[in-house]
Amino acid sequence: MRPVPGAPVITPDSPDRQYSTRLRTALVLTGVGTAGAYHAGVLRALHEAGVRIDLVAGRGVGALGAMFAAVDGGSRLWETGGLWKDPVASRAYGWRTPLRVTGWALVSACALLATPLALLAGGVIVGLIGLLLWSLSLTGIAGVLRSTYGRWLDALFEPTALPTIVPRLVVLCLLVALVALAVTLGAALLRAPAHRRLGRGRVWRLLGSPIASAAILDRGIDGLWGLIGGAARIAPPPRAELGRKYVELLTENLGQPGFRELLLIAHDLDARRDVMFALLGDPHRARFFGRPVTDGPRQAEAFDLAGVGRDHVMDALAASLTVPIATEPHLARFSHEGPWRGETHRLCDRPGSLDRLLEELRVAGAEQVIVASAAPPAARPHELSSARADLRGRAGEHLQAFEVAGLRDAIEQASGRFAGLFLVRPAHNPLGPLDFAGVFDERSDRHYTLAELVDRGYEDAYRQFIEPVVAASGERIATVQS
């Protein structure tokens, strides 16, 4: 098809292409952590506008939104009480429980050790107050205050009081910290098979990665089970069985309104390659999984969720939600019949894998692509903000910077590969990838919440794509010539 000459530029971040409902359309959700809230808003806008989507792909937390959107469950993400509008979302990617227990135990021990010093400092303050009262000729009150505090100190520093109680409580706090670390070590050794145990650096196994992705993974699994199990209030089955039920639901309804093909991407730390998990319809399925590769069999990096790979759909989700270094890699055991011969590999997200995902979408037959990212545009002069001193904030700054740079490179490399490439992103997003409880926005001088990011995605999708692209293309459909 040939568009009308002189068509305007669609968006500042998109090439000059015309959107068409006749083309095979893919939606890409990319980002880490809080970006999932932005994806939810975009999904809501596309759903309300009736935008046709044939294939939905996810990277990072976008895999969670993609799995919901593939089975017509996007409303579970944006509705009141949904995944990203529920106050429980503020606890996503929290500190691992053993580390929290250890930290509070050490803080309590330090506070107990500081108790005698605090009492002595209180004595100095009482002395100064007594001196002030004496200068005001209130000698009686000053004398009573000093004597009362002195008797109290004498009682507290009796051999059977603080000198005995404080050391015992400190030892108890240290024992609690050691037990918490031992539990961490034991759980790690039991969780990992023998050949995945650490050969060196066993001391660091006690600490491990500081942040856990289990909370958001469990919330996502509960939401998916709500879609699969219906109104029945029963506990979800084991993850492998739940994954098979999810694949059955998607396979049986593929082609029906609201159901879309699915493509997820993660990174295999042991194989040092990206891995794709896809459920595609014919004829794209044969082309995608039959694509030749130069560094090994295609089956080593592409898993057919409609075939034997259906056992790995939850592995794909868990790996995508794993933040590199900050969280422990997800351990996935591959089939004995596959190219990895029953090996257990460590999987995680790779922030720079969007370009690979777009490349795989082209192989999967996508003709036009909508990319939704919560990463704002690159900064310009006089846009510096205060650096984050906390560990989560500092890690979030790095992740956000990687996202912005990776998005820019991926869009540039994908330019010209599709008939249309459209980008939806916020002009300003103060939330870092790990700021689930919200953050103070210096530009607007107020607190910015996760629920607001959902609304921002909804508004941006309308303003950047639906109104200027979809609506404008609809007005020009009659003038398009073949």
Side-chain angles (χ1 to χ4, degrees):
M1 295 189 301
R2 180 173 56 85
V4 176
V9 176
I10 294 172
T11 69
D13 298 299
S14 302
D16 185 9
R17 308 291 187 195
Q18 182 181 347
Y19 171 82
S20 174
T21 57
R22 301 177 183 178
L23 299 179
R24 179 171 165 83
T25 305
L27 171 65
V28 178
L29 306 176
T30 178
V32 179
T34 57
Y38 189 81
H39 299 157
V42 174
L43 285 170
R44 178 187 175 188
L46 297 179
H47 174 76
E48 289 185 359
V51 175
R52 175 190 167 188
I53 298 173
D54 302 286
L55 190 157
V56 60
R59 197 232 96 221
V61 73
L64 185 60
M67 289 187 65
F68 275 86
V71 293
D72 196 23
S75 60
R76 301 293 182 99
L77 301 174
W78 69 71
E79 64 187 4
T80 303
L83 183 63
W84 297 111
K85 286 288 185 81
D86 194 325
V88 178
S90 62
R91 298 197 292 268
Y93 288 104
W95 300 106
R96 291 169 51 231
T97 300
L99 292 184
R100 287 204 305 269
V101 174
T102 301
W104 282 114
L106 294 178
V107 168
S108 300
C110 293
L112 289 169
L113 290 174
T115 300
L117 297 178
L119 291 173
L120 292 177
V124 174
I125 295 174
V126 170
L128 293 175
I129 295 175
L131 180 61
L132 178 62
L133 293 174
W134 180 83
S135 64
L136 296 175
S137 300
L138 300 174
T139 56
I141 299 178
V144 172
L145 181 63
R146 290 177 178 178
S147 60
T148 302
Y149 194 79
R151 288 194 302 270
W152 191 43
L153 286 180
D154 292 339
L156 289 175
F157 281 94
E158 286 287 335
T160 57
L162 287 182
T164 301
I165 296 175
V166 169
R168 291 179 179 177
L169 292 178
V170 169
V171 171
L172 178 61
C173 292
L174 294 178
L175 287 176
V176 170
L178 290 176
V179 169
L181 291 178
V183 169
T184 304
L185 177 61
L189 293 178
L190 291 175
R191 182 175 65 93
H195 58 286
R196 299 310 305 159
R197 294 175 183 169
L198 288 180
R200 292 178 290 179
R202 295 182 182 274
V203 174
W204 290 104
R205 174 68 85 177
L206 291 173
L207 299 177
S209 299
I211 297 176
S213 60
I216 188 171
L217 177 60
D218 292 340
R219 284 281 294 163
I221 289 176
D222 290 341
L224 291 172
W225 176 239
L227 292 171
I228 299 171
R233 294 183 175 274
I234 57 177
R239 291 181 182 177
E241 182 180 351
L242 176 60
R244 289 190 289 269
K245 290 181 178 295
Y246 175 87
V247 171
E248 291 175 3
L249 174 66
L250 181 55
T251 304
E252 293 174 358
N253 294 277
L254 199 61
Q256 299 297 321
F259 288 82
R260 294 114 176 179
E261 299 172 45
L262 180 66
L263 175 60
L264 307 177
I265 187 170
H267 187 74
D268 189 336
L269 290 174
D270 294 294
R272 302 178 185 87
R273 66 170 70 204
D274 294 323
V275 288
M276 277 65 62
F277 304 86
L279 197 157
L280 304 174
D282 296 327
H284 308 287
R285 177 184 178 189
R287 177 188 176 190
F288 182 84
F289 293 103
R291 178 192 180 192
V293 294
T294 59
D295 56 349
R298 177 64 167 172
Q299 293 78 10
E301 64 179 20
F303 295 87
D304 186 2
L305 297 180
V308 294
R310 69 179 56 203
D311 292 334
H312 295 303
V313 63
M314 289 302 164
D315 289 326
L317 176 60
S320 298
L321 296 177
T322 299
V323 180
I325 301 177
T327 62
E328 290 289 337
H330 174 71
L331 298 179
R333 184 186 293 276
F334 295 118
S335 171
H336 289 274
E337 289 76 21
W340 297 118
R341 306 299 182 187
E343 294 180 354
T344 298
H345 286 205
R346 298 167 297 164
L347 306 182
C348 68
D349 175 45
R350 183 171 73 87
S353 59
L354 177 59
D355 55 347
R356 177 64 186 277
L357 181 58
L358 292 175
E359 176 187 347
E360 295 294 340
L361 283 174
R362 185 175 59 84
V363 179
E367 298 172 291
Q368 59 186 8
V369 178
I370 308 166
V371 179
S373 170
R380 292 174 291 185
H382 309 298
E383 290 186 354
L384 295 179
S385 60
S386 300
R388 299 284 294 272
D390 59 298
L391 181 59
R392 289 169 60 88
R394 185 174 299 177
E397 285 183 327
H398 285 78
L399 289 172
Q400 189 78 294
F402 297 156
E403 289 289 333
V404 173
L407 178 64
R408 176 183 179 275
D409 294 342
I411 293 299
E412 285 190 355
Q413 293 180 16
S415 180
R417 297 184 180 181
F418 302 97
L421 182 59
F422 312 97
L423 177 59
V424 179
R425 70 189 309 182
H428 171 60
N429 178 17
L431 284 181
L434 302 178
D435 292 328
F436 288 90
V439 70
F440 180 79
D441 182 20
E442 294 182 351
R443 292 189 181 184
S444 57
D445 193 31
R446 65 178 180 85
H447 192 74
Y448 195 94
T449 65
L450 192 65
E452 288 185 75
L453 190 58
V454 177
D455 299 333
R456 177 62 58 86
Y458 177 79
E459 296 168 0
D460 287 345
Y462 265 100
R463 184 172 59 254
Q464 299 177 17
F465 177 70
I466 295 173
E467 294 176 353
V469 178
V470 178
S473 297
E475 293 172 355
R476 294 197 300 265
I477 285 178
T479 63
V480 175
Q481 301 176 1
S482 301

Short mmCIF file of all heavy atoms in Angstrom, two decimals, residues 203-246:
data_model
loop_
_atom_site.label_atom_id
_atom_site.label_comp_id
_atom_site.label_asym_id
_atom_site.label_seq_id
_atom_site.Cartn_x
_atom_site.Cartn_y
_atom_site.Cartn_z
N VAL A 203 30.96 -17.90 51.61
CA VAL A 203 30.56 -16.91 52.60
C VAL A 203 29.50 -15.98 52.02
O VAL A 203 28.53 -15.60 52.69
CB VAL A 203 31.78 -16.11 53.09
CG1 VAL A 203 31.34 -14.99 54.02
CG2 VAL A 203 32.75 -17.04 53.81
N TRP A 204 29.66 -15.62 50.75
CA TRP A 204 28.69 -14.71 50.12
C TRP A 204 27.35 -15.38 49.90
O TRP A 204 26.33 -14.70 49.72
CB TRP A 204 29.25 -14.20 48.80
CG TRP A 204 30.38 -13.25 49.02
CD1 TRP A 204 31.70 -13.50 48.86
CD2 TRP A 204 30.28 -11.91 49.49
NE1 TRP A 204 32.44 -12.40 49.19
CE2 TRP A 204 31.60 -11.40 49.59
CE3 TRP A 204 29.22 -11.09 49.85
CZ2 TRP A 204 31.86 -10.11 50.01
CZ3 TRP A 204 29.49 -9.80 50.27
CH2 TRP A 204 30.80 -9.32 50.35
N ARG A 205 27.32 -16.72 49.93
CA ARG A 205 26.05 -17.42 49.82
C ARG A 205 25.15 -17.09 51.03
O ARG A 205 23.93 -17.12 50.95
CB ARG A 205 26.29 -18.92 49.73
CG ARG A 205 25.04 -19.76 49.77
CD ARG A 205 24.20 -19.57 48.53
NE ARG A 205 24.63 -20.43 47.45
CZ ARG A 205 24.02 -20.51 46.28
NH1 ARG A 205 22.97 -19.76 46.05
NH2 ARG A 205 24.48 -21.31 45.33
N LEU A 206 25.80 -16.75 52.16
CA LEU A 206 25.03 -16.38 53.34
C LEU A 206 24.20 -15.13 53.10
O LEU A 206 23.09 -14.99 53.60
CB LEU A 206 25.96 -16.15 54.53
CG LEU A 206 26.66 -17.39 55.11
CD1 LEU A 206 27.67 -16.97 56.15
CD2 LEU A 206 25.64 -18.34 55.71
N LEU A 207 24.77 -14.20 52.34
CA LEU A 207 24.07 -12.94 52.08
C LEU A 207 23.22 -13.03 50.83
O LEU A 207 22.03 -12.73 50.83
CB LEU A 207 25.09 -11.80 51.96
CG LEU A 207 25.94 -11.56 53.21
CD1 LEU A 207 26.96 -10.47 52.94
CD2 LEU A 207 25.07 -11.19 54.39
N GLY A 208 23.83 -13.47 49.72
CA GLY A 208 23.09 -13.59 48.47
C GLY A 208 22.66 -12.23 47.94
O GLY A 208 23.09 -11.17 48.41
N SER A 209 21.78 -12.25 46.96
CA SER A 209 21.25 -11.00 46.42
C SER A 209 20.28 -10.39 47.43
O SER A 209 19.52 -11.10 48.08
CB SER A 209 20.53 -11.28 45.09
OG SER A 209 21.44 -11.80 44.14
N PRO A 210 20.29 -9.07 47.58
CA PRO A 210 19.52 -8.45 48.66
C PRO A 210 18.02 -8.37 48.44
O PRO A 210 17.26 -8.29 49.39
CB PRO A 210 20.13 -7.05 48.75
CG PRO A 210 20.65 -6.78 47.37
CD PRO A 210 21.11 -8.09 46.83
N ILE A 211 17.57 -8.39 47.19
CA ILE A 211 16.15 -8.16 46.88
C ILE A 211 15.51 -9.44 46.38
O ILE A 211 16.16 -10.25 45.69
CB ILE A 211 16.01 -7.02 45.85
CG1 ILE A 211 16.55 -5.71 46.44
CG2 ILE A 211 14.57 -6.84 45.41
CD1 ILE A 211 16.56 -4.58 45.47
N ALA A 212 14.24 -9.63 46.71
CA ALA A 212 13.51 -10.83 46.30
C ALA A 212 12.40 -10.46 45.31
O ALA A 212 11.71 -9.46 45.49
CB ALA A 212 12.91 -11.54 47.51
N SER A 213 12.26 -11.26 44.28
CA SER A 213 11.19 -11.07 43.29
C SER A 213 10.00 -11.98 43.56
O SER A 213 9.06 -12.01 42.77
CB SER A 213 11.73 -11.33 41.88
OG SER A 213 12.23 -12.66 41.77
N ALA A 214 10.04 -12.71 44.67
CA ALA A 214 8.99 -13.70 44.95
C ALA A 214 7.63 -13.04 45.12
O ALA A 214 6.61 -13.60 44.70
CB ALA A 214 9.35 -14.51 46.19
N ALA A 215 7.58 -11.85 45.73
CA ALA A 215 6.29 -11.22 46.02
C ALA A 215 5.54 -10.88 44.73
O ALA A 215 4.35 -11.20 44.58
CB ALA A 215 6.51 -9.96 46.85
N ILE A 216 6.20 -10.24 43.79
CA ILE A 216 5.53 -9.87 42.54
C ILE A 216 5.24 -11.10 41.69
O ILE A 216 4.21 -11.18 40.99
CB ILE A 216 6.37 -8.83 41.76
CG1 ILE A 216 5.56 -8.30 40.58
CG2 ILE A 216 7.69 -9.41 41.30
CD1 ILE A 216 6.23 -7.12 39.88
N LEU A 217 6.11 -12.12 41.78
CA LEU A 217 5.86 -13.35 41.04
C LEU A 217 4.62 -14.06 41.58
O LEU A 217 3.76 -14.52 40.82
CB LEU A 217 7.08 -14.26 41.11
CG LEU A 217 6.95 -15.63 40.45
CD1 LEU A 217 6.65 -15.48 38.96
CD2 LEU A 217 8.21 -16.46 40.66
N ASP A 218 4.52 -14.13 42.89
CA ASP A 218 3.35 -14.78 43.50
C ASP A 218 2.07 -14.03 43.18
O ASP A 218 1.02 -14.64 42.92
CB ASP A 218 3.54 -14.87 45.01
CG ASP A 218 4.64 -15.85 45.40
OD1 ASP A 218 4.99 -16.70 44.56
OD2 ASP A 218 5.16 -15.74 46.53
N ARG A 219 2.13 -12.69 43.21
CA ARG A 219 0.94 -11.90 42.86
C ARG A 219 0.53 -12.15 41.41
O ARG A 219 -0.65 -12.26 41.09
CB ARG A 219 1.23 -10.42 43.08
CG ARG A 219 1.22 -9.99 44.53
CD ARG A 219 -0.20 -9.80 45.03
NE ARG A 219 -0.85 -8.68 44.35
CZ ARG A 219 -2.15 -8.47 44.32
NH1 ARG A 219 -2.96 -9.33 44.91
NH2 ARG A 219 -2.67 -7.42 43.70
N GLY A 220 1.51 -12.22 40.53
CA GLY A 220 1.20 -12.48 39.13
C GLY A 220 0.61 -13.86 38.92
O GLY A 220 -0.35 -14.03 38.15
N ILE A 221 1.14 -14.85 39.62
CA ILE A 221 0.63 -16.21 39.50
C ILE A 221 -0.80 -16.29 40.04
O ILE A 221 -1.68 -16.94 39.44
CB ILE A 221 1.56 -17.19 40.24
CG1 ILE A 221 2.87 -17.33 39.46
CG2 ILE A 221 0.89 -18.54 40.43
CD1 ILE A 221 3.89 -18.20 40.15
N ASP A 222 -1.07 -15.61 41.15
CA ASP A 222 -2.43 -15.60 41.68
C ASP A 222 -3.41 -14.97 40.68
O ASP A 222 -4.54 -15.44 40.51
CB ASP A 222 -2.47 -14.84 43.01
CG ASP A 222 -1.77 -15.60 44.13
OD1 ASP A 222 -1.58 -16.82 43.98
OD2 ASP A 222 -1.40 -14.96 45.14
N GLY A 223 -2.97 -13.87 40.04
CA GLY A 223 -3.83 -13.23 39.05
C GLY A 223 -4.10 -14.11 37.85
O GLY A 223 -5.23 -14.19 37.34
N LEU A 224 -3.06 -14.82 37.38
CA LEU A 224 -3.25 -15.72 36.25
C LEU A 224 -4.15 -16.89 36.62
O LEU A 224 -4.98 -17.33 35.82
CB LEU A 224 -1.89 -16.24 35.77
CG LEU A 224 -0.99 -15.20 35.09
CD1 LEU A 224 0.39 -15.79 34.83
CD2 LEU A 224 -1.60 -14.71 33.80
N TRP A 225 -4.02 -17.38 37.84
CA TRP A 225 -4.88 -18.47 38.28
C TRP A 225 -6.33 -18.00 38.37
O TRP A 225 -7.26 -18.77 38.13
CB TRP A 225 -4.40 -19.03 39.60
CG TRP A 225 -5.29 -20.08 40.18
CD1 TRP A 225 -5.93 -20.06 41.38
CD2 TRP A 225 -5.64 -21.34 39.57
NE1 TRP A 225 -6.65 -21.21 41.57
CE2 TRP A 225 -6.50 -22.01 40.47
CE3 TRP A 225 -5.32 -21.93 38.36
CZ2 TRP A 225 -7.04 -23.26 40.18
CZ3 TRP A 225 -5.87 -23.18 38.07
CH2 TRP A 225 -6.70 -23.83 38.97
N GLY A 226 -6.51 -16.74 38.74
CA GLY A 226 -7.87 -16.20 38.76
C GLY A 226 -8.50 -16.21 37.38
O GLY A 226 -9.72 -16.39 37.24
N LEU A 227 -7.69 -16.02 36.34
CA LEU A 227 -8.21 -16.08 34.97
C LEU A 227 -8.48 -17.51 34.53
O LEU A 227 -9.46 -17.79 33.84
CB LEU A 227 -7.21 -15.43 34.01
CG LEU A 227 -7.02 -13.92 34.13
CD1 LEU A 227 -5.83 -13.48 33.27
CD2 LEU A 227 -8.28 -13.18 33.70
N ILE A 228 -7.60 -18.41 34.93
CA ILE A 228 -7.72 -19.80 34.47
C ILE A 228 -8.75 -20.57 35.27
O ILE A 228 -9.58 -21.29 34.73
CB ILE A 228 -6.34 -20.50 34.56
CG1 ILE A 228 -5.33 -19.78 33.66
CG2 ILE A 228 -6.46 -21.97 34.19
CD1 ILE A 228 -3.91 -20.27 33.85
N GLY A 229 -8.70 -20.37 36.61
CA GLY A 229 -9.59 -21.15 37.47
C GLY A 229 -11.00 -20.60 37.57
O GLY A 229 -11.88 -21.26 38.12
N GLY A 230 -11.22 -19.37 37.08
CA GLY A 230 -12.54 -18.79 37.14
C GLY A 230 -12.90 -18.33 38.54
O GLY A 230 -12.04 -17.92 39.32
N ALA A 231 -14.16 -18.39 38.86
CA ALA A 231 -14.65 -17.89 40.14
C ALA A 231 -14.37 -18.84 41.30
O ALA A 231 -14.59 -18.47 42.45
CB ALA A 231 -16.14 -17.60 40.06
N ALA A 232 -13.92 -20.05 41.02
CA ALA A 232 -13.66 -21.02 42.09
C ALA A 232 -12.50 -20.53 42.95
O ALA A 232 -11.42 -20.27 42.45
CB ALA A 232 -13.35 -22.39 41.49
N ARG A 233 -12.74 -20.44 44.26
CA ARG A 233 -11.71 -19.97 45.19
C ARG A 233 -10.93 -21.17 45.73
O ARG A 233 -11.18 -21.64 46.84
CB ARG A 233 -12.36 -19.19 46.33
CG ARG A 233 -13.00 -17.87 45.88
CD ARG A 233 -13.56 -17.11 47.06
NE ARG A 233 -14.07 -15.82 46.67
CZ ARG A 233 -13.33 -14.71 46.58
NH1 ARG A 233 -12.05 -14.77 46.89
NH2 ARG A 233 -13.86 -13.58 46.21
N ILE A 234 -10.03 -21.68 44.93
CA ILE A 234 -9.17 -22.77 45.36
C ILE A 234 -7.73 -22.37 45.14
O ILE A 234 -7.43 -21.47 44.33
CB ILE A 234 -9.48 -24.07 44.58
CG1 ILE A 234 -9.34 -23.83 43.06
CG2 ILE A 234 -10.88 -24.56 44.90
CD1 ILE A 234 -9.57 -25.09 42.24
N ALA A 235 -6.84 -22.99 45.88
CA ALA A 235 -5.43 -22.64 45.80
C ALA A 235 -4.88 -22.99 44.42
O ALA A 235 -5.29 -23.99 43.82
CB ALA A 235 -4.65 -23.37 46.88
N PRO A 236 -3.96 -22.18 43.90
CA PRO A 236 -3.39 -22.49 42.59
C PRO A 236 -2.58 -23.76 42.64
O PRO A 236 -1.98 -24.10 43.67
CB PRO A 236 -2.51 -21.26 42.29
CG PRO A 236 -2.20 -20.67 43.63
CD PRO A 236 -3.41 -20.93 44.47
N PRO A 237 -2.53 -24.50 41.55
CA PRO A 237 -1.73 -25.74 41.50
C PRO A 237 -0.25 -25.41 41.44
O PRO A 237 0.14 -24.24 41.37
CB PRO A 237 -2.23 -26.39 40.21
CG PRO A 237 -2.64 -25.25 39.34
CD PRO A 237 -3.21 -24.22 40.28
N PRO A 238 0.62 -26.42 41.46
CA PRO A 238 2.06 -26.17 41.28
C PRO A 238 2.32 -25.39 39.99
O PRO A 238 1.55 -25.47 39.03
CB PRO A 238 2.65 -27.58 41.23
CG PRO A 238 1.69 -28.42 42.01
CD PRO A 238 0.34 -27.84 41.74
N ARG A 239 3.40 -24.66 39.99
CA ARG A 239 3.66 -23.74 38.88
C ARG A 239 3.75 -24.45 37.54
O ARG A 239 3.29 -23.92 36.51
CB ARG A 239 4.95 -22.96 39.15
CG ARG A 239 4.80 -21.97 40.32
CD ARG A 239 6.07 -21.19 40.56
NE ARG A 239 5.90 -20.29 41.69
CZ ARG A 239 6.88 -19.51 42.18
NH1 ARG A 239 8.07 -19.55 41.62
NH2 ARG A 239 6.64 -18.73 43.21
N ALA A 240 4.36 -25.62 37.51
CA ALA A 240 4.47 -26.32 36.23
C ALA A 240 3.09 -26.68 35.69
O ALA A 240 2.80 -26.50 34.49
CB ALA A 240 5.32 -27.58 36.40
N GLU A 241 2.21 -27.16 36.56
CA GLU A 241 0.85 -27.50 36.13
C GLU A 241 0.07 -26.24 35.74
O GLU A 241 -0.68 -26.25 34.76
CB GLU A 241 0.13 -28.25 37.24
CG GLU A 241 -1.28 -28.68 36.86
CD GLU A 241 -1.98 -29.42 37.98
OE1 GLU A 241 -1.31 -29.74 39.00
OE2 GLU A 241 -3.20 -29.66 37.86
N LEU A 242 0.26 -25.16 36.51
CA LEU A 242 -0.41 -23.91 36.17
C LEU A 242 0.04 -23.41 34.80
O LEU A 242 -0.77 -22.91 34.01
CB LEU A 242 -0.12 -22.86 37.24
CG LEU A 242 -0.68 -21.45 36.99
CD1 LEU A 242 -2.20 -21.49 36.88
CD2 LEU A 242 -0.24 -20.50 38.09
N GLY A 243 1.32 -23.56 34.52
CA GLY A 243 1.82 -23.15 33.21
C GLY A 243 1.18 -23.95 32.09
O GLY A 243 0.83 -23.40 31.04
N ARG A 244 1.00 -25.25 32.29
CA ARG A 244 0.35 -26.07 31.26
C ARG A 244 -1.11 -25.66 31.07
O ARG A 244 -1.61 -25.64 29.94
CB ARG A 244 0.47 -27.54 31.64
CG ARG A 244 1.88 -28.09 31.51
CD ARG A 244 1.91 -29.59 31.65
NE ARG A 244 1.65 -30.01 33.03
CZ ARG A 244 2.59 -30.21 33.94
NH1 ARG A 244 3.86 -30.02 33.62
NH2 ARG A 244 2.29 -30.59 35.16
N LYS A 245 -1.79 -25.35 32.17
CA LYS A 245 -3.18 -24.91 32.06
C LYS A 245 -3.26 -23.57 31.32
O LYS A 245 -4.19 -23.33 30.54
CB LYS A 245 -3.81 -24.79 33.44
CG LYS A 245 -4.04 -26.12 34.14
CD LYS A 245 -4.69 -25.92 35.49
CE LYS A 245 -4.97 -27.25 36.18
NZ LYS A 245 -5.97 -28.06 35.43
N TYR A 246 -2.29 -22.70 31.58
CA TYR A 246 -2.27 -21.40 30.88
C TYR A 246 -2.09 -21.62 29.38
O TYR A 246 -2.77 -20.99 28.56
CB TYR A 246 -1.14 -20.55 31.44
CG TYR A 246 -0.94 -19.23 30.71
CD1 TYR A 246 -1.67 -18.10 31.06
CD2 TYR A 246 -0.04 -19.14 29.66
CE1 TYR A 246 -1.49 -16.91 30.38
CE2 TYR A 246 0.14 -17.94 28.98
CZ TYR A 246 -0.58 -16.84 29.35
OH TYR A 246 -0.40 -15.66 28.67
#
